[in-house]
């Protein structure tokens, strides 16, 4: 029997990352679950027969440890670690929030991609999937720091695809809209559950993490010559960033 193909998922401790790790494992990948919270990824890795590696994507040293743990060959990298911090207008936003969002959503993706590119190359059939956002396509009030960062994720992805053209590595971005996860909005609003819940108030069936994971699994299982450049995925109730049906 041939060795299973290997996938790395960052931010695998919850939400889209954890769901993606499960989906890729079900598709036959050996999944390296990377995140800061070791208790969670150890449990997940145990459940899916994968490997847990503690990793803070904003630290190059920590990412070097991830690359060591992965070894010489990698087939799929899902750069999922990211997040939004704060929702203040440009006039009063905290620059530290903006810095933190750029750090994790853009530089984190850069660090991990740089560290794992040699192993992706060595596979002879590599794939990078960056988890962007519809916030990387448009602006909205109070979203300045996050939209700027996710536009950065989008441009990084596009640039990488241009630079790797001719190599056996595909480069994709998935850009989800409204996804109800346990943590995204709670983190954004600094633990304020009421504010977090209000985002999804009355929205019939926002996406859940498994919907996005399912799409990532689809991207990762296309034939090698098929590159899904970008995939925008929203709930039916969200026709555009500001156009949300609520009941
Ligand atoms: C999440 C989508 O609408 O909160 O990446 O910016 S949104």
């Amino acid at each position: 029997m041939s060795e299973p193909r290997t996938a790395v998922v960052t931010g695998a401790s919850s939400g889209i990352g954890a769901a993606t790790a499960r989906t890729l494992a079900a598709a036959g990948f050996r999944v390296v679950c990377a995140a800061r919270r070791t208790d969670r990824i150890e449990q997940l890795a145990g459940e899916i027969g994968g490997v847990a590696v503690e990793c803070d994507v904003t630290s190059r040293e920590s990412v070097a440890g991830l690359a060591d743990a992965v070894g010489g060959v990698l087939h799929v990298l899902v750069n999922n670690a990211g997040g939004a911090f704060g929702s203040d207008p440009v006039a009063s936003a905290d620059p530290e929030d903006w810095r933190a969002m750029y750090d994790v959503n853009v530089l984190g993706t850069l660090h991990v991609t740089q560290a794992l590119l040699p192993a992706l190359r060595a596979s002879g059939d590599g794939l990078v999937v960056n988890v962007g956002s519809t916030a990387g396509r448009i602006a909205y009030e109070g979203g300045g720091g996050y939209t700027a960062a996710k536009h950065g994720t989008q441009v990084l992805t596009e640039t990488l695809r241009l630079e790797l053209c001719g190599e056996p590595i595909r480069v994709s971005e998935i850009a989800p809209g409204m996804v109800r996860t346990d943590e995204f909005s709670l983190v954004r609003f600094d633990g304020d559950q009421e504010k977090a819940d209000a985002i999804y108030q009355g929205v019939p069936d926002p996406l859940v993490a498994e919907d996005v994971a399912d799409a990532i699994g689809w991207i990762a299982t296309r034939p090698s010559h098929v590159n899904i450049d970008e995939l925008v995925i929203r709930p039916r109730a969200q026709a555009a960033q500001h156009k949300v049906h609520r009941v």
Side-chain angles (χ1 to χ4, degrees):
M1 221 172 81
S2 58
E3 287 284 300
R5 287 156 59 82
T6 301
V8 167
V9 180
T10 67
S13 51
S14 72
I16 293 171
T20 300
R22 288 192 177 95
T23 297
L24 293 179
F29 287 89
R30 172 182 165 267
V31 182
V32 178
C33 308
R36 289 173 302 180
R37 292 177 290 183
T38 47
D39 52 333
R40 286 180 175 233
I41 50 173
E42 274 163 14
Q43 196 181 339
L44 174 63
E47 174 197 321
I48 64 175
V51 179
V53 179
E54 181 179 1
C55 181
D56 173 356
V57 300
T58 65
S59 154
R60 284 182 81 79
E61 200 189 342
S62 178
V63 169
L66 170 63
D68 281 348
V70 167
V73 178
L74 174 67
H75 298 88
V76 174
L77 165 60
V78 182
N79 280 308
N80 165 73
F85 313 123
S87 59
D88 295 314
V90 171
S92 57
D94 183 345
E96 282 313 315
D97 282 342
W98 283 50
R99 214 183 305 279
M101 286 188 275
Y102 195 82
D103 258 356
V104 68
N105 293 289
V106 184
L107 297 181
T109 299
L110 177 71
H111 296 155
V112 178
T113 303
Q114 287 182 336
L116 295 179
L117 257 185
L120 287 162
R121 265 195 194 105
S123 75
D125 182 16
L127 167 69
V128 180
V129 182
N130 291 336
V131 179
S133 169
T134 52
R137 299 292 185 286
I138 200 164
Y140 58 87
E141 304 90 325
Y146 183 61
T147 54
K150 284 299 191 187
H151 277 77
T153 309
Q154 188 269 318
V155 171
L156 185 162
T157 309
E158 212 178 316
T159 308
L160 185 68
R161 189 163 51 244
L162 292 169
E163 291 172 353
L164 296 183
C165 183
E167 296 200 44
I169 303 177
R170 292 176 285 165
V171 182
S172 301
E173 184 206 5
I174 184 161
M178 187 178 273
V179 186
R180 182 170 204 151
T181 61
D182 292 339
E183 295 188 334
F184 177 82
S185 291
L186 202 58
V187 170
R188 177 172 224 170
F189 298 117
D190 206 15
D192 187 329
Q193 189 72 57
E194 231 170 89
K195 273 191 182 170
D197 289 345
I199 296 290
Y200 312 102
Q201 193 69 49
V203 179
D205 296 329
L207 296 182
V208 293
E210 287 70 23
D211 296 317
V212 181
D214 185 43
I216 294 172
W218 178 77
I219 291 171
T221 52
R222 292 314 83 211
S224 302
H225 67 287
V226 178
N227 193 103
I228 306 301
D229 287 9
E230 50 186 15
L231 196 161
V232 176
I233 178 170
R234 303 179 201 266
R236 185 176 57 194
Q238 186 185 32
Q241 199 73 22
H242 285 86
K243 177 79 176 171
V244 179
H245 172 63
R246 294 179 197 266
V247 290

